[in-house]
Amino acid sequence: MDEESKVKIEETVREILKESDMTEMTEFKVRNLASERLGIDLSDKSHKAYVRGIVKSFLEEVESKQQQDKDEEEEDGRAKGDKELDDDGDLIICRLSDKRRVTIQEFRGKALVSIREYYKKDGKELPSSKGISLTDEQWSTFKKNIPAIENAVKKMESRV
């Protein structure tokens, strides 16, 4: 397949995908519509693979754009004052219970993810020594191991 044909096929397939209801469209339908518009038989193996690659690339771009839009919306929401801060000014990510929470705090110029118990004193909620603060590197390692932790918990629960 020559370069000019590849460009025409890609433009046509992307145009079809942009116009389509993605809940109804299939790769087969895209390939047939492109065949009709271009007057080229796209049913052989190499054309199928090429069209499949274009469709996959298009879908990944759409998904990436949707995720980016979602991330921007979340950032906009936080920028508009949706942040909850504790008495020390640390960002509260979530409350695990009345006394436990996950916060992002800065200590000696480093951002830390802190999972900690809090107590009340003189009307203020203060962090206790019960908890852990993780650096970026430690947090990344922890996140990577969540599936293993979940599997271990499931095994423990199945024994009970």
Side-chain angles (χ1 to χ4, degrees):
M1 182 175 2
D2 63 52
E3 200 59 39
E4 188 179 330
S5 295
K6 285 183 176 182
V7 170
K8 285 182 181 178
I9 292 169
E10 182 167 357
E11 287 174 353
T12 304
V13 168
R14 285 183 168 276
E15 185 179 303
I16 291 167
L17 290 168
K18 286 176 187 173
E19 297 168 353
S20 299
D21 174 1
M22 297 309 289
T23 60
E24 299 291 322
M25 189 53 67
T26 64
E27 183 184 323
F28 177 77
K29 290 178 182 178
V30 169
R31 200 173 52 250
N32 283 341
L33 287 169
S35 287
E36 289 173 18
R37 290 186 187 182
L38 294 168
I40 302 172
D41 181 15
L42 299 176
S43 62
D44 66 76
K45 241 183 184 178
S46 65
H47 284 108
K48 281 182 180 180
Y50 186 64
V51 170
R52 181 175 297 119
I54 296 167
V55 170
K56 183 178 178 184
S57 172
F58 178 85
L59 293 174
E60 287 170 353
E61 289 169 18
V62 167
E63 186 176 325
S64 174
K65 175 79 171 107
Q66 288 173 340
Q67 184 61 46
Q68 186 178 2
D69 290 347
K70 181 181 174 190
D71 291 345
E72 286 173 6
E73 284 176 18
E74 287 175 2
E75 284 178 25
D76 288 347
R78 285 193 292 262
K80 291 178 186 168
D82 288 351
K83 299 180 197 178
E84 183 182 4
L85 303 176
D86 66 13
D87 293 329
D88 291 332
D90 298 329
L91 178 62
I92 299 172
I93 300 301
C94 71
R95 294 178 181 268
L96 302 173
S97 69
D98 288 342
K99 293 184 177 185
R100 290 190 182 133
R101 65 177 78 148
V102 179
T103 62
I104 303 295
Q105 63 185 87
E106 195 169 314
F107 182 71
R108 296 185 181 168
K110 290 190 176 192
L112 301 173
V113 176
S114 187
I115 304 169
R116 191 157 302 283
E117 279 194 12
Y118 283 71
Y119 65 96
K120 288 188 179 189
K121 182 178 179 183
D122 299 328
K124 283 188 167 189
E125 289 183 314
L126 301 170
S128 73
S129 61
K130 292 180 182 179
I132 186 169
S133 294
L134 304 171
T135 64
D136 285 341
E137 187 177 309
Q138 292 166 332
W139 176 247
S140 292
T141 302
F142 181 75
K143 284 193 317 185
K144 287 178 192 170
N145 285 287
I146 293 228
I149 294 167
E150 288 175 335
N151 287 337
V153 169
K154 283 180 187 173
K155 285 181 184 176
M156 286 174 49
E157 288 173 345
S158 68
R159 290 183 205 155
V160 176

